[in-house]
Amino acid sequence: MNVQQWTLVFVGLSFSLYLYIAWRSRVKDTQGFYVAGRGVPSYANGMATAADWMSAASFISMAGLVSTMGYSGGVYLMGWTGGYVLLALLLAPYLRKSGRFTVPEFVGDRYDSDLARFVAVLCAIFVSFTYVAGQMRGVGVVFSRFLEVDINLGVFIGMAIVFVYATLGGMKGITWTQVAQYWVLITAFLVPAIAISIKLTGNPIPQVGLGSVLDPELAGADGIYLLDKLNQIQEDLGFSSYTDTFVGGWDKANVFFVALALMVGTAGLPHVIVRFYTVKNIRAARWSAFWALLFIALLYLTAPATAAFARYFMIESLNGRSEAELPSWFTSWEKTGLILWLDDGDGEIRYSAGDDNEVFRRGKLETYEITEIQLQHQHWVDTNGQEGEDARKLLRERGLNGPDRDIIVLATPEMAELANWIIAFVAAGGLAAALSTASGLLLVISSSVAHDLYSKTINPNAPESKKLLVGRVVIGISVVIAGLFGIKPPGFVSQVVAFAFGLAASSFFPILVLGIFSRRVSAIPAICGMAVGIGFTGFYIIACVYGGMKPWTFGIFENGIKPQGIGSIGMVLNFAVTWSLAKIFPAPGAKVQELIDSIREPEGVGPAIDIEEAMDH
């Protein structure tokens, strides 16, 4: 069978499984809908958490980032995994002990303020919609290539599937669907990595293969290590060495700030935190974090090897080839518009640094989209029929200086000429990663509106049936909005997701930490801190990405702080504003103090330690 037929088989089987689980897990009460009845075993919750968190960014885009960025791409590996340590130690057990359904509910009750709850709801919706844009974009990319349908149609198909199993089973259905999706995505990621490692180095362990000598019979190299070969290729083409540290705009400051934003953003993401509300007790919450890290590590420890394999195959299969020698994977992906070749007249592809690079990803110009590239004459034609010379220069001015990073992992099995069923299986894994996270995010949006606003504020006496109906209607509306974001995303998958982490870092993390460990912080400081943190971070991201603003140097940093890392500054501002105002406004009342004590004093552990008292001493 060809790739498309195999893709239909794998996608059909996996989607049928997801829908069957959703039907078997359908719920009739809000506890089942929002927190899965609090009965999920810790190991299963660990798998669901891993699937919920290892989104399209992890599966599709992260290895692509490492592949194109080299050493600096490790910032995403460090940031996204390091945050789970913070989450497990600082937040998860305490939030589970609070007994709340959602993060905004905890914020509203801890600060005894409906306004604080409302601001938290707005932050949760803003963060979740930013995050879900990347997931729907990933769905569209997969469908576009492997089922050869328009990207927009692929997004609509994904929307329909998520809508069915999210509305039927709520958190219960999503949890057990995510368990299945974890096994689909992790198997689909590991199988090609193992196959390529064997093909290149003869070693079946990708992590070992990354540091091994290339097999002279299979790779055409004699006694040279894979990474040395990559460094040599990169330097010959004018790029920096693949293993060089802190190159280009990725200096030490940006690596630090982006890693920090991703870490604290992980610990502040509502759709990740809510997973710890679904287990039986605090002990299970801690074990869930352990299992989640273990299951996540299987993919994250493999991603650097996949990235290096992809970089090797992409350059070797493209550079110096004539039009007649274009590999089949390139012609297949060229139909999606995510990669193209501009010929300068010599009939050969040059994949190199600087103006000689002729391999680009298709993208938007200022007010119109490139709709045609005439290869032999190297000019572009816009939607109005106007022509312009030197398309390479024009694309480079728009930041389009290489293939779309979202295709790297999905195209690697084709580059390596693996079996058709493996290529198709990777597509099913990419869909599982995107849909698992999208469903969790949509439930956060639904719970924020239906539970925290409708049930807690607008109509507290509403019957269970009406609360469920409102939750399902909100999911339906959210799916449509998420689909629109997927059709018109603000960037490639990992970039969009990094923005979401920055927004979570600057809004939720400080307020949750201070809400647990400080008795002094009351509603007004918390509200002001959230507003300042997310307001500053959102402004900076929008101004840099859409407004053309140059990244700020703050008078210290040479290259300016990237939008992906500005959440670190937003977090510091949130802490500073909240802590400063807490000195002015009175501490919360007795009701809140009792809540803090109940969260921080597990049985048999002894009295809780107050952060202010510790600092005073």
Side-chain angles (χ1 to χ4, degrees):
M1 291 194 296
N2 61 30
V3 173
Q4 188 175 20
Q5 291 170 329
W6 273 115
T7 303
L8 287 170
V9 170
F10 283 122
V11 171
L13 289 175
S14 59
F15 278 20
S16 298
L17 175 62
Y18 305 155
L19 294 175
Y20 172 74
I21 292 173
W23 176 256
R24 290 295 304 269
S25 304
R26 59 192 186 278
V27 296
K28 297 181 179 180
D29 58 68
T30 53
Q31 180 157 313
F33 192 81
Y34 292 125
V35 291
R38 302 197 192 276
V40 181
S42 58
Y43 65 88
N45 196 50
M47 288 182 209
T49 304
D52 197 357
W53 185 70
M54 287 195 299
S55 60
S58 294
F59 188 98
I60 295 176
S61 195
M62 183 182 64
L65 283 168
V66 178
S67 180
T68 55
M69 293 168 59
Y71 178 93
S72 297
V75 67
Y76 290 91
L77 297 168
M78 294 184 294
W80 282 337
T81 50
Y84 259 91
V85 179
L86 294 177
L87 184 59
L89 295 177
L90 291 180
L91 299 179
Y94 304 100
L95 294 176
R96 173 61 188 88
K97 194 168 189 292
S98 73
R100 270 58 183 177
F101 281 8
T102 66
V103 172
E105 182 182 13
F106 173 79
V107 171
D109 290 351
R110 159 59 183 85
Y111 295 103
D112 195 21
S113 168
D114 286 337
L115 181 57
R117 189 194 315 276
F118 179 72
V119 173
V121 167
L122 292 181
C123 292
I125 293 173
F126 192 23
V127 170
S128 298
F129 270 129
T130 304
Y131 204 146
V132 82
Q135 311 317 307
M136 302 314 294
R137 151 81 174 181
V139 171
V141 169
V142 174
F143 274 117
S144 170
R145 162 62 188 94
F146 293 99
L147 294 183
E148 297 183 2
V149 299
D150 183 74
I151 286 183
N152 296 348
L153 178 58
V155 172
F156 289 138
I157 295 172
M159 288 164 53
I161 295 297
V162 171
F163 173 77
V164 171
Y165 71 73
T167 54
L168 273 178
M171 179 57 81
K172 184 178 180 181
I174 287 172
T175 296
W176 292 107
T177 301
Q178 286 172 338
V179 170
Q181 287 167 333
Y182 172 77
W183 287 110
V184 172
L185 74 89
I186 197 64
T187 308
F189 197 88
L190 293 178
V191 166
I194 292 170
I196 295 173
S197 183
I198 293 172
K199 184 171 184 176
L200 283 178
T201 68
N203 195 301
I205 304 174
Q207 294 85 346
V208 177
L210 176 63
S212 297
V213 174
L214 287 169
D215 191 320
E217 294 184 5
L218 299 176
D222 186 16
I224 185 171
Y225 286 94
L226 171 62
L227 290 176
D228 288 338
K229 179 69 172 178
L230 265 180
N231 287 339
Q232 176 186 318
I233 292 172
Q234 295 257 124
E235 292 168 2
D236 289 345
L237 295 178
F239 296 103
S240 60
S241 177
Y242 187 77
T243 56
D244 273 356
T245 60
F246 310 123
V247 296
W250 286 94
D251 52 16
K252 288 183 181 180
N254 271 300
V255 169
F256 172 79
F257 280 111
V258 173
L260 179 60
L262 295 177
M263 285 182 184
V264 295
T266 297
L269 280 174
H271 80 286
V272 173
I273 292 173
V274 74
R275 291 243 49 96
F276 296 96
Y277 293 142
T278 64
V279 293
K280 298 176 181 179
N281 50 44
I282 301 169
R283 177 181 173 85
R286 291 189 185 276
W287 275 103
S288 290
F290 166 80
W291 286 114
L293 272 173
L294 178 65
F295 293 131
I296 289 167
L298 292 177
L299 188 147
Y300 271 57
L301 292 178
T302 308
T306 298
F309 299 156
R311 187 69 173 174
Y312 173 83
F313 278 117
M314 177 169 283
I315 295 177
E316 288 288 281
S317 65
L318 289 181
N319 192 54
R321 298 294 181 94
S322 67
E323 184 175 4
E325 297 172 329
L326 279 172
S328 59
W329 75 264
F330 186 92
T331 55
S332 296
W333 278 97
E334 194 173 27
K335 297 174 184 177
T336 67
L338 299 175
I339 188 171
L340 58 88
W341 168 44
L342 301 176
D343 190 6
D344 62 1
D346 63 3
E348 290 187 354
I349 294 178
R350 285 197 296 274
Y351 186 16
S352 59
D355 292 335
D356 290 337
N357 191 358
E358 299 170 357
V359 182
F360 292 92
R361 55 189 172 101
R362 190 181 295 271
K364 287 189 174 181
L365 303 182
E366 288 180 348
T367 58
Y368 43 79
E369 188 171 352
I370 299 172
T371 57
E372 179 185 348
I373 297 288
Q374 296 185 3
L375 301 179
Q376 296 301 321
H377 301 290
Q378 195 182 328
H379 72 273
W380 53 268
V381 181
D382 69 23
T383 53
N384 298 317
Q386 297 176 335
E387 298 187 7
E389 296 301 321
D390 198 355
R392 289 180 306 173
K393 181 179 179 181
L394 191 62
L395 286 171
R396 189 173 296 283
E397 288 174 355
R398 299 295 178 264
L400 306 178
N401 54 4
D404 194 296
R405 295 164 182 173
D406 294 340
I407 76 171
I408 302 297
V409 169
L410 298 173
T412 298
E414 294 176 88
M415 297 180 198
E417 300 179 342
L418 299 183
N420 286 342
W421 71 268
I422 296 179
I423 297 171
F425 193 27
V426 171
L431 288 172
L435 295 177
S436 63
T437 303
S439 60
L441 291 164
L442 291 169
L443 191 67
V444 166
I445 296 169
S446 171
S447 61
S448 296
V449 175
H451 179 70
D452 295 308
L453 287 185
Y454 179 78
S455 299
K456 287 287 185 178
T457 305
I458 298 174
N459 191 3
N461 299 319
E464 285 284 297
S465 58
K466 193 165 186 178
K467 292 177 182 178
L468 272 177
L469 177 61
V470 172
R472 285 170 170 150
V473 168
V474 172
I475 284 183
I477 296 172
S478 302
V479 165
V480 174
I481 298 174
L484 296 176
F485 274 113
I487 293 170
K488 303 291 184 183
F492 56 86
V493 174
S494 277
Q495 186 183 44
V496 176
V497 169
F499 295 159
F501 277 74
L503 294 170
S506 62
S507 57
F508 283 122
F509 181 75
I511 299 307
L512 293 176
V513 170
L514 292 175
I516 293 169
F517 295 103
S518 172
R519 300 177 186 274
R520 188 176 296 170
V521 179
S522 56
I524 293 178
I527 293 168
C528 293
M530 283 191 289
V532 169
I534 199 169
F536 168 79
T537 305
F539 160 77
Y540 190 91
I541 291 172
I542 292 170
C544 286
V545 176
Y546 292 108
M549 184 181 79
K550 292 184 178 180
W552 295 348
T553 64
F554 295 96
I556 302 174
F557 310 111
E558 181 179 354
N559 295 313
I561 303 301
K562 293 180 178 294
Q564 298 97 308
I566 198 63
S568 298
I569 306 296
M571 176 197 65
V572 172
L573 289 176
N574 188 333
F575 269 119
V577 169
T578 306
W579 195 263
S580 299
L581 293 178
K583 305 285 186 179
I584 301 172
F585 290 89
K591 177 183 175 182
V592 172
Q593 299 293 346
E594 290 176 6
L595 173 61
I596 296 172
D597 288 339
S598 68
I599 293 171
R600 291 165 48 187
E601 295 180 4
E603 292 81 357
V605 175
I609 298 176
D610 187 84
I611 190 171
E612 287 96 347
E613 294 176 0
M615 292 181 67
D616 291 341
H617 287 85

